[in-house]
């Protein structure tokens, strides 16, 4: 998911701080999410919020996570 989130953010001309502010989380935590360095699985509520921020279905976020895991 990390590359997908990065691409979505850049496509929408947003900074990590912009996204973090919309999600009501720290920029540092969002950076961990985007880099795939979060310590726990992403919650469903976080995926829902991300889908709203980037205007994409949650299923696309899940697919991108699966595709990255399979490739890694």
């Amino acid at each position: 998911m990390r590359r997908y989130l990065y691409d979505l953010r850049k496509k929408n001309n947003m900074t990590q701080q912009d996204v973090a502010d919309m999600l009501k989380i720290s920029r540092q935590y969002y950076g961990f999410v985007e880099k795939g360095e979060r310590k726990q699985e992403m919650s469903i509520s976080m995926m829902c919020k991300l889908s709203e921020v980037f205007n994409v279905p949650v299923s696309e976020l899940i697919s991108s996570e699966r595709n990255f895991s399979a490739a890694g």
Side-chain angles (χ1 to χ4, degrees), residues 6 8 14-15 20 33 39 41 48 51 54-55 57 59 64 69:
Y6 173 85
L8 285 172
M14 299 171 82
T15 65
V33 169
K39 295 184 195 273
E41 293 296 317
C48 290
S51 76
F54 294 121
N55 196 32
S59 60
S64 69
S69 295

Side-chain angles (χ1 to χ4, degrees), residues 5 8-9 12 14 19 30 50-56:
L5 290 176
L8 285 172
R9 182 171 59 80
N12 286 285
M14 299 171 82
V19 177
Y30 179 74
L50 281 167
S51 76
E52 290 174 14
V53 167
F54 294 121
N55 196 32
V56 296

Side-chain angles (χ1 to χ4, degrees), residues 5 16-34 38 42-43 45-47 49-50 53-54:
L5 290 176
Q16 285 186 343
Q17 187 65 58
D18 294 333
V19 177
D21 290 346
M22 295 176 83
L23 297 173
K24 297 182 174 46
I25 60 174
S26 71
R27 195 232 21 104
Q28 291 83 1
Y29 182 74
Y30 179 74
F32 289 140
V33 169
E34 193 173 281
R38 62 192 185 274
M42 187 179 299
S43 69
S45 64
M46 179 65 78
M47 281 196 175
K49 289 177 187 176
L50 281 167
V53 167
F54 294 121

